[in-house]
Amino acid sequence: MKKQALILDFGGVITKTLFETHRDTERALGLEPHTLTWQGPFAPETDALWQDMCADKITERDYWQMRTKQVGALIGTDWHKMQDFVMAARGKMNPLDFIRPEFLTTLAKVKQASITTAILSNELDLFYGKDFRHKLPFIDDFATIIDATYSKILKPDPRAYQAVLDALNIEAEQTVFVDDQWRNIVGAQKMNMQIVHFDVMNPANAYQNALDLLAIK
């Protein structure tokens, strides 16, 4: 069956992770260089919280909630929302500074091939604020954005994937789904989507895998 849609997670897939922009965060918050040492998937053996998340002892939201409180404490602020952390770290940056260039290249190729694109995120507006998406010059290229900030249905719940399929009026087998969290990939695979587990340490390869599945050169 011909693939007709590319469905992307947002954080980590379209944007660089906060792990990758620690130095930018430190500058934005007035912290000494190398104050932030947790590295998530880049050094899981040194990040106990990340290990707990990967073992399903805590959720991804739990992980970032704890990191939010820790970083807030470093600057004497009692942050309760991940959005507070993200906006303080990235709010004054040009959004394109933390958008993956590999994504922009892939999006251009997908558009040229007349393939539909969509976002399926657990926390786009929860983390970035409801106005952030309007700062992105490519946001209107997406046919739909399903955000659990509002739906309250988190991947890997089957209903999250079904929501984007229904919005696109498409069969699961006609889609390629890309996410950096393995549990979400497993959820998509159970729905019969074609999948790409996004390696944040090799974004170019992950996007190339997606293009290959879409038969785009």
Side-chain angles (χ1 to χ4, degrees), residues 88-161:
R90 294 182 167 179
K92 295 182 180 180
M93 294 174 62
N94 180 336
L96 291 180
D97 288 343
F98 50 87
I99 298 298
R100 293 196 185 281
E102 298 89 352
F103 157 72
L104 296 173
T105 300
T106 300
L107 180 63
K109 291 182 178 181
V110 169
K111 285 177 61 179
Q112 187 174 22
S114 298
I115 298 291
T116 299
T117 55
I119 291 174
L120 179 60
S121 173
N122 277 356
E123 61 280 302
L124 198 166
D125 287 3
L126 179 71
F127 282 9
Y128 286 89
K130 64 181 181 180
D131 296 327
F132 171 76
R133 64 172 73 182
H134 302 297
K135 299 177 182 178
L136 301 173
F138 51 79
I139 203 66
D140 290 338
D141 292 328
F142 290 100
T144 192
I145 298 174
I146 304 296
D147 182 2
T149 302
Y150 307 106
S151 70
K152 309 302 181 186
I153 301 173
L154 299 171
K155 298 171 290 185
D157 188 316
R159 294 174 297 168
Y161 307 98

Side-chain angles (χ1 to χ4, degrees), residues 5 17 101 114 131 143 146 163 178 193-194 203 205:
T17 65
S114 298
D131 296 327
I146 304 296
V178 183
M193 294 174 163
Q194 294 293 301
N205 184 66

